[in-house]
Amino acid sequence: MQTISEVAAYTLQFVNQTHRSIFLTGKAGTGKTTLLREIIQTTHKNTVVVAPTGIAALNAGGVTIHSMFQLPFGGFIPDNSAPHFSENIKFETKATLRRHLKMSGLKKSVIRNMELLIIDEVSMLRADLLDAMDFMMQTVRRKSTPFGGVQVLFIGDLLQLPPVIRDEEWRTLKTYYKGKFFFHSHVIQQNPPLYIELSKIFRQTDNAFISILNNLRNNQISAIDIQNLNQYVKPDFDLKTNKGYITLTTHNAKADAMNAQALEDLEGKLVTYKPEIVGDFPDKIYPVEEHLKLKVGAQVMFVKNDLSFDKKYFNGKIGFIQSLSSQEILIHFPEENKTIEVERYEWQNIRYKVDENTKEIEEEVSGTFVHYPIKLAWAITVHKSQGLTFDKAALDVSQVFLPGQAYVALSRLRSLNGLILLSPLRMNGISNDQDVMDYSLNKASEEVLEHSLQLETRNFIQNFLNSSFDWSDLAQEWRNHKFSYDAKGDGSEKSKHAVWARKQSEAIESLLDPSRKFILQLNKLFSQESVDLNHVLERIEAAVNYFLLPMDNLVFEILWKMEEVKRIKKVKAFYEELVVLEEMQIKSVLRLMKAKLLIETVVNGETISKERLFSDEVKYYKINKLKIIQEEFKAVNITLIEDEADLERYTKTKTHPKEPKKPTVQETYELWLEKNTIKEIATIRKLTSQTIGTHIAKLIESGTIAITAVLPEDKILELEKAFRGYKEETLNGLKEQYGEKFTWDELKMFKASLNI
């Protein structure tokens, strides 16, 4: 059997070394989410992550499909017919989407620069929605190839949450689609992705349990399997006395009622906690309940993994509230005899934009939601248990399971030892969707993966190199710009630059014939049965030496022209035309540089990755070019008096490239080193001062920041007195004793300094 590392390595190679679209699947607990994060961190491609729902997008670190591609809610009919309306239902068509296409320049730029689209939780993705996405991408990118030429990675387990289509919608859509899953879409039917399955299970180690789960998954559940499972039936199991068990049920109302009743049954004071919300974070994507209601003794579970080095908890870990105060929650784990303080977790609502210097797609935080990553855990629905891992669970199977629900529920458990069935499991009603079972037959074997990877890698290298020297679209844009002056022969400001535009257009035209001849040379080299990559490297180096200077000169010309134009009033439209040209011209130069880096990487036998294709020369190309131009421009225009309003009339130039994403505490530390106050850091990071205070406490605990750098000496002396002889785990007693004399942040920071 393949190990996950082998399959994961294949997947990473297919993403980085080919243009092939991929469907990555795997049973529950095989590490799909871990691999998703690895791909995002290591790929050299401009990547966007989307998901069908707000919560799924938030968990994947991306955005929703509807927001990314400006798609209205409702069904999609994949033709140009007139739209269908009824009182309760609405359909879009290609004609209506085209008519209502009002996408911002920012989103269009992201879609045009996209190279890899990752769609997470693809089990929920409807066939018609995928076709609508495909249409929008082809339209915006002006390419009539699947997804406008973007590589797509589909991730998900089709035996988990299915797509939701109402009966009245399906009555219309069934005319166009054989089924509701993403693989029923027209674009997938015509262009099937490579089917890769992760097979090694990490959640379970018990072979007997794994066998039952596999049989259940494959519609091969036997009478013996049911008999083995039904040994765990305990209809009179007392959940109140058997603490630590969570009940998995099929209905939200039942789970909510069980949690509410169990909380009410506890004695003691009810404490309510609210989130800290900064910026744009819509309530429909809140990852946990806005108002978290708790009592001492409440059974709770974590809904995220601990990101710190200590790994004190995981997604689904169950514990009990030991103590509560306004700013402190302590949770006890009886089986480990361990108590931890829960820290608030930061969820980020992001949007994508394009870095104007490197043309890389990057994330921008538009809002944050900071709350305790826990929820009541006496009961949960099977639906909401996806992705969670439980040591002990009681399954309420009194309702008939939908396809896949039995599998999802049972696969949450680490072993059969933690299983309780509240009623016998019956064969009736637990089979999986036959369309999904049939589609799973497309899984690629190891031999197919190996052969396909070699072929696709060769094609990818050839296409990458070819496209790096194909400037037909760029030349057409310069042509269009040159012709746009013809109607401006009226002495307008723009018309004064017509000679310049003609000269640049002629410069790019002069490169087209030699570039076409070079592409023919490349194709001839790659047509050989065995490609001499060292010879290809020699030819690429020679071609880059030949073409880079004239292409670089065009960048100089257009950036210089933009320096001129941004100082002229009332020419915004002209400036924006230059911005489009600048984006295409710089992308072409960066692509030339990357072509050389790519073939050097391949010849050296190294992995194609972000580090290999983003040298400092690539990363700082535009910034360095701008510095030179701005200095020369001032030298030529020695009498020029700079006016900030002139320089920022049409755009605010970014002077520093975006650094890779860092851990949240590290970001706070770097801002602290720049002498920002806690309040200033909170404003910069779109977080509250309280959250930043928590970060500072962690930095004090690790010895990174001294307590003396944060608190004044007299306050430290007072805290030393207060803490003398204090042995409690919770700070609540001290806070009650000293009231407003010390803030919660001051108490936490001083306590952190004692743990160094």
Side-chain angles (χ1 to χ4, degrees):
M1 185 194 292
Q2 280 186 315
T3 65
I4 187 169
S5 58
E6 289 169 341
V7 181
Y10 271 125
T11 308
L12 283 165
Q13 286 174 301
F14 270 105
V15 167
N16 283 320
Q17 295 174 205
T18 82
H19 193 67
R20 183 75 185 268
S21 286
I22 300 157
F23 170 46
L24 175 68
T25 189
K27 305 177 181 76
T30 51
K32 295 183 292 297
T33 303
T34 303
L35 184 52
L36 165 62
R37 291 198 188 102
E38 178 74 11
I39 289 167
I40 292 168
Q41 286 170 5
T42 59
T43 184
H44 60 89
K45 296 179 180 177
N46 266 346
T47 304
V48 166
V49 181
V50 296
T53 68
I55 295 295
L58 194 67
N59 289 335
V63 298
T64 64
I65 290 168
H66 287 88
S67 67
M68 183 68 246
F69 300 105
Q70 209 89 7
L71 292 167
F73 289 97
F76 175 72
I77 295 170
D79 62 21
N80 286 295
S81 61
H84 295 239
F85 293 100
S86 74
E87 191 174 322
N88 302 316
I89 203 155
K90 180 185 175 186
F91 285 101
E92 299 287 341
T93 66
K94 290 181 179 180
T96 61
L97 285 182
R98 197 180 289 116
R99 198 179 310 139
H100 301 139
L101 183 61
K102 292 179 181 176
M103 192 178 283
S104 69
L106 177 69
K107 276 190 181 156
K108 283 182 181 176
S109 182
V110 170
I111 293 170
R112 283 197 298 264
N113 283 278
M114 195 188 298
E115 295 168 321
L116 172 65
L117 175 66
I118 299 176
I119 309 177
D120 197 25
E121 297 291 4
V122 77
S123 68
M124 294 187 282
L125 177 58
R126 289 168 44 153
D128 59 325
L129 180 57
L130 186 57
D131 279 337
M133 284 171 59
D134 173 49
F135 171 73
M136 292 298 274
M137 291 176 77
Q138 289 192 36
T139 303
V140 172
R141 291 172 64 86
R142 298 178 192 168
K143 289 183 181 174
S144 56
T145 52
F147 304 106
V150 173
Q151 182 183 26
V152 184
L153 172 61
F154 303 91
I155 301 181
D157 182 356
L158 295 176
L159 291 178
Q160 299 200 23
L161 291 177
V164 177
I165 299 182
R166 288 180 290 161
D167 290 342
E168 53 189 324
E169 283 183 298
W170 185 242
R171 280 195 286 274
T172 298
L173 289 174
K174 68 182 180 184
T175 309
Y176 302 91
Y177 294 100
K178 293 176 183 175
K180 59 188 177 181
F181 288 94
F182 88 98
F183 56 81
H184 290 120
S185 65
H186 293 196
V187 65
I188 295 298
Q189 292 284 309
Q190 293 157 20
N191 307 276
L194 187 68
Y195 189 127
I196 300 179
E197 182 174 337
L198 300 176
S199 54
K200 184 174 174 60
I201 296 172
F202 289 88
R203 186 174 291 142
Q204 294 90 17
T205 54
D206 175 359
N207 288 331
F209 189 26
I210 289 172
S211 174
I212 290 173
L213 289 174
N214 284 340
N215 289 343
L216 192 58
R217 182 182 177 87
N218 298 325
N219 281 353
Q220 295 171 345
I221 193 81
S222 67
I224 293 173
D225 291 330
I226 295 290
Q227 188 179 328
N228 287 335
L229 286 172
N230 283 338
Q231 292 177 40
Y232 298 91
V233 173
K234 293 184 180 177
D236 301 323
F237 188 74
D238 187 351
L239 289 162
K240 285 187 179 178
T241 55
N242 289 282
K243 292 186 175 182
Y245 280 85
I246 186 167
T247 301
L248 269 66
T249 184
T250 50
H251 290 81
N252 271 317
K254 190 166 187 179
D256 291 344
M258 289 177 72
N259 283 324
Q261 187 60 54
L263 186 66
E264 190 179 323
D265 290 345
L266 288 174
E267 295 179 3
K269 181 184 172 187
L270 184 73
V271 184
T272 302
Y273 298 89
K274 296 178 182 177
E276 301 164 8
I277 302 169
V278 179
D280 176 28
F281 207 103
D283 56 7
K284 63 186 176 185
I285 63 165
Y286 285 178
V288 290
E289 291 288 336
E290 182 179 7
H291 298 109
L292 175 64
K293 296 180 178 180
L294 299 172
K295 288 182 182 177
V296 171
Q299 181 168 301
V300 295
M301 73 171 174
F302 287 86
V303 296
K304 296 299 290 184
N305 294 325
D306 184 4
L307 299 178
S308 74
F309 176 78
D310 300 324
K311 307 294 179 204
K312 296 174 184 174
Y313 56 85
F314 56 81
N315 197 358
K317 186 177 179 73
I318 290 176
F320 299 88
I321 300 294
Q322 180 166 300
S323 73
L324 295 170
S325 60
S326 63
Q327 297 294 325
E328 193 182 57
I329 299 175
L330 265 59
I331 293 182
H332 183 64
F333 305 112
E335 291 179 0
E336 301 164 56
N337 193 25
K338 184 173 77 174
T339 301
I340 67 168
E341 181 185 348
V342 190
E343 293 175 349
R344 291 176 182 253
Y345 191 93
E346 297 160 31
W347 285 269
Q348 295 180 335
N349 182 28
I350 66 144
R351 61 184 175 190
Y352 290 105
K353 63 177 185 177
V354 177
D355 184 293
E356 63 182 45
N357 294 319
T358 63
K359 307 309 172 191
E360 283 185 80
I361 292 176
E362 58 184 32
E363 297 173 8
E364 181 177 66
V365 177
S366 55
T368 55
F369 178 98
V370 181
H371 211 342
Y372 293 105
I374 55 176
K375 65 190 294 183
L376 296 177
W378 285 285
I380 191 172
T381 61
V382 175
H383 182 109
K384 289 180 180 174
S385 73
Q386 276 199 194
L388 302 177
T389 300
F390 301 128
D391 290 317
K392 299 190 287 189
L395 271 59
D396 174 17
V397 292
S398 53
Q399 305 291 330
V400 175
F401 277 116
L402 292 170
Q405 277 192 313
Y407 170 73
V408 173
L410 285 164
S411 63
R412 300 306 95 204
L413 279 157
R414 289 190 192 275
S415 75
L416 287 168
N417 293 334
L419 173 65
I420 297 293
L421 290 173
L422 298 178
S423 61
L425 191 67
R426 294 181 176 83
M427 298 281 284
N428 178 30
I430 61 172
S431 63
N432 290 311
D433 193 295
Q434 193 55 47
D435 281 355
V436 172
M437 304 310 298
D438 292 343
Y439 184 61
S440 69
L441 300 175
N442 293 306
K443 183 175 74 171
S445 66
E446 187 174 351
E447 293 74 25
V448 168
L449 287 177
E450 195 171 332
H451 174 72
S452 182
L453 180 60
Q454 289 177 354
L455 180 65
E456 299 279 356
T457 299
R458 178 168 161 164
N459 290 341
F460 172 74
I461 294 166
Q462 182 180 0
N463 291 334
F464 191 102
L465 297 177
N466 280 352
S467 62
S468 301
F469 294 90
D470 181 2
W471 301 309
S472 49
D473 288 346
L474 175 63
Q476 186 59 52
E477 197 65 41
W478 275 108
R479 239 173 266 138
N480 295 344
H481 184 68
K482 179 184 72 172
F483 291 137
S484 73
Y485 288 83
D486 293 348
K488 299 282 182 182
D490 52 0
S492 68
E493 187 60 48
K494 180 180 175 180
S495 66
K496 297 174 186 176
H497 306 271
V499 173
W500 171 84
R502 186 171 66 251
K503 185 180 173 186
Q504 310 320 314
S505 182
E506 287 168 358
I508 190 72
E509 292 286 348
S510 70
L511 300 178
L512 293 184
D513 191 48
S515 71
R516 286 190 201 105
K517 287 176 179 173
F518 180 66
I519 290 170
L520 289 173
Q521 280 185 42
L522 279 178
N523 288 337
K524 190 172 181 181
L525 290 173
F526 276 93
S527 67
Q528 307 298 317
E529 190 171 330
S530 178
V531 181
D532 184 348
L533 290 172
N534 284 298
H535 185 47
V536 172
L537 173 59
E538 288 172 19
R539 300 306 306 135
I540 291 293
E541 286 176 337
V544 169
N545 289 338
Y546 179 83
F547 289 113
L548 189 57
L549 182 60
M551 290 291 283
D552 182 67
N553 286 340
L554 279 163
V555 171
F556 185 93
E557 286 289 343
I558 194 163
L559 289 176
W560 184 281
K561 185 60 63 180
M562 289 170 78
E563 281 294 312
E564 281 184 59
V565 172
K566 72 183 179 185
R567 291 171 169 81
I568 304 169
K569 295 178 180 177
K570 298 179 182 177
V571 288
K572 186 179 181 183
F574 180 30
Y575 186 86
E576 287 175 351
E577 288 173 35
L578 294 175
V579 167
V580 173
L581 278 168
E582 175 262 345
E583 181 173 306
M584 291 185 73
Q585 187 66 48
I586 287 182
K587 266 177 73 175
S588 297
V589 170
L590 296 181
R591 183 76 172 202
L592 261 184
M593 294 176 176
K594 288 181 185 179
K596 185 165 175 279
L597 292 170
L598 174 79
I599 194 64
E600 284 174 351
T601 300
V602 173
V603 167
N604 292 335
E606 295 166 332
T607 303
I608 302 171
S609 65
K610 194 166 193 170
E611 288 71 30
R612 303 286 179 208
L613 299 194
F614 282 85
S615 63
D616 283 349
E617 187 185 15
V618 170
K619 200 182 293 183
Y620 298 103
Y621 172 76
K622 182 181 174 182
I623 292 168
N624 292 336
K625 188 68 65 181
L626 275 172
K627 282 180 185 173
I628 293 167
I629 286 169
Q630 285 163 359
E631 286 170 10
E632 288 190 21
F633 192 88
K634 286 178 184 176
V636 171
N637 299 277
I638 196 118
T639 59
L640 185 71
I641 299 172
E642 295 288 12
D643 184 339
E644 205 63 34
D646 284 344
L647 296 179
E648 296 188 355
R649 177 173 286 115
Y650 306 121
T651 183
K652 291 190 177 180
T653 304
K654 193 172 176 182
T655 55
H656 300 291
K658 183 177 170 68
E659 294 300 320
K661 195 170 181 179
K662 302 180 182 75
T664 185
V665 175
Q666 179 68 19
E667 286 190 46
T668 293
Y669 178 56
E670 290 180 7
L671 289 167
W672 175 265
L673 291 177
E674 293 173 11
K675 308 298 183 188
N676 291 293
T677 65
I678 288 176
K679 191 174 180 182
E680 287 167 344
I681 295 171
T683 303
I684 293 166
R685 295 210 52 210
K686 289 193 172 76
L687 291 166
T688 65
S689 295
Q690 187 180 356
T691 300
I692 300 303
T694 303
H695 294 172
I696 298 295
K698 283 187 177 181
L699 290 162
I700 291 169
E701 187 174 7
S702 66
T704 309
I705 292 178
I707 184 89
T708 51
V710 186
L711 298 179
E713 189 178 346
D714 58 340
K715 182 67 72 175
I716 294 171
L717 290 171
E718 288 175 346
L719 284 161
E720 279 177 356
K721 279 185 190 176
F723 270 81
R724 207 167 287 152
Y726 192 77
K727 303 292 184 186
E728 298 295 318
E729 283 181 300
T730 172
L731 292 171
N732 194 36
L734 277 178
K735 182 63 179 163
E736 287 180 355
Q737 183 180 345
Y738 289 96
E740 297 305 308
K741 184 172 183 179
F742 304 122
T743 66
W744 274 104
D745 279 346
E746 287 167 348
L747 290 170
K748 288 182 177 181
M749 287 176 190
F750 189 79
K751 184 184 178 185
S753 74
L754 301 176
N755 293 330
I756 294 173

